[in-house]
Amino acid sequence: MSRITLAACQYAIELLPDWNSYESHLRALVADAVGQGATLLLLPEYAGMALSGQLPEAVRTDLQASIAELQPLIPRWLALCESLAREHRIWLCPGSVAALDTDGIYRNRCWLFGPEGMAGHQDKLIMTRFEREQWLIGAGSGLRVFETAFGRVGILICYDNEFPLLGRTLAEAGVDLILAPSCTDTRAGFHRVRIGCQARALEGQVAVLQAPTAGLAPWSPALDINTGRAALYLPPDYGLPDDGVLAQSVAQNSAQSNWLLCELDFAALHDVRLRGQVMTRRDWPEQLDGRAALLT
């Protein structure tokens, strides 16, 4: 498959007070993207925290209690996501959630599902100050590569996109597409992640798909304010957009969830690596061979 249609969700955090309303919401959202021809669907970082809307008000408005008490809902959520991927024969990354790991530490974990079921998960590796200091979320370890019919896919969750060696590791592993689920509460935060995504696309000559949270959720102390555009970033080069932005959401923010649909041409991406104006993917090691040493 040299061309696929990607769908990145500018995802509004809605208050869905029971399981039935949440399930109906997610099924309708997925069906909407699939109806528009999407093969791979991406929701943002902490999209799974919408599950906390089902908790009693006193619990869901408590930062620590909200993640502790939603843990029993996660297996049911994963089963729903897997069933949707199988039913529609798609790849679905439903965003991340704070999940209690086997060592007793909460981690920001993102799963990927394919037509044959769960493909695996990726943890966030570098925590923001909010996650470290207030939410007490621990760092994950290691990067995973997911094999699909259209190429190799990696996941860098939000802040992880701001660190070039993570993206380089995925590029060296042969990844063509990086999924970048994000959650930011300020324009500055969104642009930090966006700039990181574009830098990773430039350096590795890969595609980076970003899906952000959106809107206001005053009922959630973790996701109360959200801003950002969904977008697909490519290296600026022959046959690709001059600014590296193939597509992006119309507005910086939204009170309702919106899909950004865009077609990714893997052949054009691969051609740039062979015949581009520059060869950043190939030339990366040259900065490490000693020529960048400080002169005295």
Side-chain angles (χ1 to χ4, degrees), residues 104-231:
I105 296 173
Y106 290 106
R107 290 192 168 85
N108 185 347
R109 180 161 294 170
C110 192
W111 287 264
L112 183 65
F113 300 88
E116 306 305 322
M118 184 185 291
H121 72 266
Q122 175 65 57
D123 289 342
K124 189 173 183 177
L125 303 183
I126 303 177
M127 300 295 103
T128 62
R129 289 192 62 193
F130 173 75
E131 288 170 311
R132 294 172 194 255
E133 299 170 13
Q134 299 180 51
W135 219 2
L136 307 181
I137 307 293
S141 177
L143 289 162
R144 289 179 168 84
V145 174
F146 302 91
E147 301 282 353
T148 74
F150 47 82
R152 291 181 173 178
V153 176
I155 301 172
L156 294 178
I157 301 173
C158 200
Y159 192 40
D160 284 351
N161 286 280
E162 299 180 37
F163 297 89
L165 295 185
L166 303 185
R168 181 62 189 180
T169 297
L170 293 179
E172 290 181 349
V175 161
D176 291 311
L177 172 63
I178 294 175
L179 304 181
S182 66
C183 176
T184 50
D185 60 354
T186 65
R187 289 173 62 88
F190 162 66
H191 282 288
R192 283 194 298 269
V193 179
R194 175 189 177 120
I195 291 167
C197 289
Q198 290 204 260
R200 305 297 77 82
L202 170 66
E203 295 160 354
Q205 293 181 303
V206 298
V208 181
L209 184 69
Q210 182 180 8
T213 51
L216 301 177
W219 54 271
S220 170
L223 304 175
D224 51 350
I225 302 172
N226 305 274
T227 186
R229 295 178 192 260

